[in-house]
Amino acid sequence: MNAGFWQSVLIDLTKLSVAEMRLDMQAGNYEAAYAKWRDQFRFARTYLRGRDTWVGKMIGLVTVGLSLPVLEDLLVKKPQLARAHANELLEVLRPGGIESFNLFSSMRADYLELDAFLRGSFPESDPLLDTIDRLAQKLVQKERFGNRYARYSQDYIRALHKSWPELVEELQRLRGEYVESFGWKDLVDPFDWVLFARHIHWQLKRPPMTLQQMYIVDGKLRLATLVVQMLNSGLCGKDISAFLEKADGRLKDPFTGKPMTWDSKHGRINFVSADDKCQINYFRVPVTDPRSGRLPPKVTDARIC
């Protein structure tokens, strides 16, 4: 099966599913829209946790990114859904940090693809392979390449367990060790080093954009979880800041570890992106008591500067 075709179809199917949910919402069929969202989102989370390449993980991030705004609109228009389906929502949304993306499987999948390429027959007629790839396939020492990739994978997975500031520094160290340095030992098999560096350099960019998107998605799951908890407990607007201060550590800002921010003016909770302090990621907090005087929150610009 063509993986690229399947992944592009997955995004299209998610868009169609989201459109159907929105039609149900327009017709006032909120329970039907919620049921469709729940099933689709469970699939999206399962797909993200599955065994896949980095490309597959990126596709999974897109599908989750398309789905979460539907829940936000559902809760704003029908906050009673949070109480009616509280346990189910908390289970479906449960944030799990970077570990929930199962990146070890991505490292393994990428290695297996490279290993299959190096051990396969040489595609003489393939015009897409450039000179480096052709030479590497013929000349690289395959066992040496596999050992280098194994060491790197272990170092990379260990780095992922660090906090965001430490992670950025650790990835820079790994870049210096695995991509930017060329020692005497590499002269034994220079094509091993060239192929390896070309393959992993994007994983170690500063800032690490793919990892950052995973942190943002996990952060949005934290925001959604907090809003469901608020609605289920009947929390008033004046108590939201204190609630966020006392929230579980797993529901804090994914980049700083500090509590999420309550924006009473716009009726939303948010955290700031790691690479742009003017860009926030937010989730609107529905109005449950019309007597509060707070207007239903609207979708607004995420730029705050």
Side-chain angles (χ1 to χ4, degrees):
M1 182 175 184
N2 187 308
F5 173 77
W6 158 244
Q7 289 162 349
S8 64
V9 168
L10 180 58
I11 293 178
D12 291 338
L13 289 175
T14 301
K15 290 179 179 178
L16 287 173
S17 179
V18 166
E20 187 176 354
M21 296 172 206
R22 295 202 176 278
L23 286 174
D24 282 333
M25 292 167 64
Q26 290 173 10
N29 299 325
Y30 296 111
E31 283 289 347
Y34 168 77
K36 292 172 183 176
W37 174 85
R38 176 201 60 210
D39 294 342
Q40 189 277 329
F41 201 71
R42 274 182 172 154
F43 172 81
R45 293 293 307 274
T46 301
Y47 182 84
L48 259 181
R49 288 191 292 265
R51 299 177 181 179
D52 210 339
T53 63
W54 282 93
V55 174
K57 297 297 182 185
M58 294 174 194
I59 297 296
L61 291 174
V62 173
T63 61
V64 170
L66 289 169
S67 305
L68 270 176
V70 176
L71 176 65
E72 185 180 7
D73 287 340
L74 269 171
L75 295 182
V76 168
K77 294 179 179 180
K78 195 73 171 178
Q80 296 87 345
L81 289 170
R83 284 195 175 185
H85 304 284
N87 292 335
E88 187 175 64
L89 275 167
L90 293 175
E91 182 268 324
V92 172
L93 291 168
R94 184 185 296 120
I98 198 70
E99 292 86 358
S100 66
F101 295 96
N102 191 13
L103 292 183
F104 179 80
S105 72
S106 300
M107 305 289 288
R108 178 173 174 77
D110 281 354
Y111 168 73
L112 291 176
E113 284 190 354
L114 271 173
D115 186 64
F117 163 71
L118 292 175
R119 296 181 185 279
S121 59
F122 187 66
E124 295 285 356
S125 60
D126 190 344
L128 298 179
L129 287 176
D130 62 25
T131 304
I132 294 295
D133 290 328
R134 290 178 179 276
L135 289 172
Q137 192 184 48
K138 278 196 168 185
L139 302 176
V140 74
Q141 297 180 25
K142 299 173 182 60
E143 286 72 22
R144 185 181 180 87
F145 181 89
N147 290 337
R148 185 193 292 263
Y149 200 97
R151 290 195 304 272
Y152 165 73
S153 297
Q154 292 168 5
D155 285 346
Y156 191 84
I157 295 299
R158 277 195 292 267
L160 294 180
H161 289 84
K162 298 181 179 294
S163 65
W164 179 259
E166 294 176 318
L167 171 61
V168 174
E169 293 179 4
E170 185 66 8
L171 293 184
Q172 187 64 19
R173 183 189 69 79
L174 293 180
R175 182 176 182 85
E177 178 178 345
Y178 286 100
V179 176
E180 297 174 348
S181 63
F182 185 88
W184 288 104
K185 64 181 183 300
D186 297 311
L187 290 175
V188 176
D189 186 5
F191 286 100
D192 167 63
W193 179 87
V194 171
L195 181 65
F196 182 78
R198 289 179 71 237
H199 184 71
I200 70 162
H201 76 93
W202 68 270
Q203 297 175 9
L204 302 173
K205 285 184 177 179
R206 185 183 178 94
M209 297 304 297
T210 304
L211 289 179
Q212 182 171 304
Q213 289 305 308
M214 291 179 178
Y215 269 72
I216 288 174
V217 166
D218 191 69
K220 289 181 177 179
L221 293 174
R222 300 180 189 196
L223 292 175
T225 298
L226 287 166
V227 169
V228 171
Q229 289 179 350
M230 292 179 200
L231 294 175
N232 192 41
S233 62
L235 204 68
C236 297
K238 61 183 178 63
D239 300 320
I240 290 179
S241 291
F243 171 80
L244 295 176
E245 287 286 341
K246 298 176 182 178
D248 189 291
R250 291 168 293 185
L251 299 178
K252 304 287 188 181
D253 184 321
F255 294 112
T256 66
K258 297 179 180 179
M260 300 293 190
T261 302
W262 165 233
D263 179 356
S264 58
K265 179 181 177 181
H266 296 97
R268 63 194 183 189
I269 58 175
N270 64 70
F271 64 93
V272 178
S273 294
D275 64 332
D276 186 349
K277 301 306 179 185
C278 290
Q279 181 76 25
I280 63 168
N281 302 277
Y282 69 82
F283 201 99
R284 289 170 288 155
V285 180
V287 176
T288 55
D289 184 2
R291 296 170 299 178
S292 67
R294 187 163 68 88
L295 296 175
K298 298 179 180 180
V299 175
T300 56
D301 191 0
R303 301 290 299 178
I304 58 175
C305 299

